[in-house]
Amino acid sequence: MLLSIREAFALFDEDQISKRRDTCSLSHFTRTRPQYVKLANNMPHNMCLCTYHSKYIEAVTTLCKKVQNIPNYDNSFVNHFLCKESSIACWYGNCEKCSGKFVSKMEEFVLNTPSTSTLKWSAWEKDVSTKRVEKKEKSGNMDELINYVNNLWPQFLEHSFNKREQALTFNEFDRPRALSTALVGEGLLQIDFAENYVCEAQDEVQNAHWNQRQLTLFKRGFYYNNALQAKVYVSDNLSHTKDTIVTYLWKLLSSLPSSLKILKISSDGPSSQFKNKFIAALIPYLEIKFGIKIFRNYFATSHGKGCVDGIGATVKTVVRKHVIARNIIK
Ligand SMILES: [Zn+2]
Ligand SMILES: [Zn+2]
């Protein structure tokens, strides 16, 4: 699970209420979690959080533990500091009523909180010397932590608003349209790279273990005419740049039905891969070549989640099972 249990509960609660169904307590929700749903802190490797969210969550969680009467942290935490009927102006920091509300409300909460010793929290940051993104420990008093969150606040709000709107458009508008049988001719394509597949063998000598080949997995989920078609393109070319993306796109578009007239392509937004002038310049050529109108949509950084995540993981699991059973290479 990529959410905290509180965030998952808040979504469940919201969904139940919107459907006028009974809800339950957080403790009941936690107790009845199916065993196959692993908590985020039990996952061996979670690379799915973006830097905006991870920095914010780390710092705000520390705040929530230390400050009395503050609302518990979940994905609706920001709403306590925005107007009740929030608009884009609130999220973009242009609303006169709620701009600066975070600091003023926090000052109220802190009034009732006994002074604490040094607080510690962590943040993923780029190290200037190693040029790697590393987890750094931060410390400071309550005022410094509030100031730290307040500095993250404008960028985090903008990022969250974009993420929510994009997810809403994808789930409530683009996907139902593409799946509708009444709108044949309109499709939705989600594309992404999976983490490279490492070609491990079941019985390998030690030298081979430290020098394994890798494969690129390029995933696509195609929503069209009441069906989702999933596919993974496998290549020994390990480049994930614009050059290879053009080849994958070409191959992919060649495989789509001839009845398709309008195609929306959604992807994550790294500029080294999908979101750059080279790919944008290619689109008109692809439109002419394949006779379709193409629209490009980009998810907020590190939020290109959807069916394509499941596709990559499923393919890797199936292949690994066969490798372990010695069914693959004779
Ligand atoms: Zn994020
Ligand atoms: Zn406002």
Side-chain angles (χ1 to χ4, degrees):
M1 186 160 66
L2 301 175
L3 305 168
S4 72
I5 197 111
R6 279 186 188 284
E7 286 173 316
F9 175 69
L11 288 176
F12 167 78
D13 200 36
E14 208 175 281
D15 192 50
Q16 290 293 94
I17 290 168
S18 73
K19 289 173 181 160
R20 295 172 189 270
R21 290 190 198 140
D22 288 342
T23 182
C24 67
S25 66
L26 171 64
S27 57
H28 182 77
F29 183 79
T30 309
R31 244 187 352 262
T32 51
R33 171 175 60 87
Q35 284 188 347
Y36 57 80
V37 177
K38 298 284 178 208
L39 296 178
N41 56 5
N42 290 335
M43 289 168 69
H45 206 162
N46 181 7
M47 298 203 311
C48 300
L49 276 183
C50 74
T51 1
Y52 301 119
H53 267 94
S54 72
K55 272 187 180 179
Y56 167 85
I57 291 170
E58 291 276 358
V60 169
T61 310
T62 309
L63 260 185
C64 291
K65 278 185 198 154
K66 297 292 174 187
V67 181
Q68 285 179 0
N69 304 324
I70 196 172
N72 277 327
Y73 172 71
D74 60 29
N75 73 339
S76 64
F77 181 80
V78 287
N79 297 338
H80 299 287
F81 304 92
L82 300 175
C83 293
K84 208 168 179 192
E85 300 291 327
S86 62
S87 68
I88 185 169
C90 305
W91 290 85
Y92 272 64
N94 299 325
C95 171
E96 284 181 11
K97 286 185 197 155
C98 66
S99 172
K101 197 172 169 186
F102 177 74
V103 172
S104 56
K105 270 206 116 173
M106 283 310 302
E107 281 167 356
E108 283 173 33
F109 289 129
V110 172
L111 275 181
N112 305 317
T113 303
S115 62
T116 46
S117 51
T118 309
L119 302 169
K120 284 186 180 163
W121 67 99
S122 53
W124 286 94
E125 284 178 357
K126 194 167 188 173
D127 188 280
V128 190
S129 54
T130 62
K131 296 196 172 129
R132 284 202 200 103
V133 178
E134 294 171 356
K135 199 167 194 177
K136 307 262 183 194
E137 191 162 278
K138 306 259 176 197
S139 61
N141 58 29
M142 183 61 78
D143 285 348
E144 285 168 324
L145 177 55
I146 291 172
N147 196 32
Y148 175 84
V149 177
N150 190 42
N151 287 336
L152 299 176
W153 199 250
Q155 220 177 7
F156 176 75
L157 281 187
E158 240 185 90
H159 169 76
S160 294
F161 179 79
N162 293 344
K163 186 207 91 166
R164 287 180 189 201
E165 290 296 302
Q166 287 165 344
L168 202 68
T169 309
F170 185 87
N171 293 324
E172 308 285 324
F173 185 73
D174 290 344
R175 192 167 54 187
R177 275 184 79 89
L179 289 173
S180 161
T181 45
L183 289 166
V184 174
E186 216 174 299
L188 175 65
L189 186 67
Q190 204 184 357
I191 51 175
D192 198 6
F193 283 104
E195 209 180 323
N196 284 352
Y197 178 77
V198 180
C199 305
E200 291 167 309
Q202 170 65 328
D203 309 299
E204 57 190 9
V205 293
Q206 198 177 17
N207 287 355
H209 182 72
W210 300 111
N211 188 22
Q212 286 155 333
R213 283 183 66 195
Q214 294 195 10
L215 294 171
T216 290
L217 303 183
F218 184 81
K219 311 166 289 181
R220 65 99 151 146
F222 178 54
Y223 300 88
Y224 190 60
N225 196 13
N226 206 23
L228 165 64
Q229 299 166 7
K231 207 169 189 174
V232 174
Y233 296 87
V234 181
S235 169
D236 57 0
N237 183 326
L238 299 183
S239 159
H240 293 187
T241 57
K242 54 187 183 296
D243 324 38
T244 47
I245 287 170
V246 170
T247 313
Y248 290 121
L249 275 179
W250 194 274
K251 181 97 184 149
L252 193 162
L253 291 176
S254 313
S255 71
L256 298 183
S258 55
S259 56
L260 183 73
K261 296 292 169 246
I262 297 173
L263 180 64
K264 290 179 183 161
I265 306 180
S266 292
S267 69
D268 209 344
S271 55
S272 58
Q273 297 181 352
F274 304 108
K275 193 178 174 183
N276 55 59
K277 61 184 177 186
F278 301 99
I279 300 294
L282 176 77
I283 298 297
Y285 293 97
L286 294 177
E287 288 183 327
I288 295 167
K289 166 74 184 164
F290 295 100
I292 46 176
K293 180 78 192 149
I294 297 176
F295 294 92
R296 291 289 290 116
N297 295 321
Y298 300 99
F299 289 109
T301 311
S302 300
H303 286 287
K305 302 278 166 264
C307 69
V308 285
D309 290 301
I311 300 168
T314 307
V315 167
K316 285 181 191 174
T317 308
V318 170
V319 174
R320 283 209 177 100
K321 269 187 190 164
H322 282 284
V323 170
I324 288 166
R326 300 186 177 91
N327 285 339
I328 300 282
I329 301 170
K330 308 281 184 207

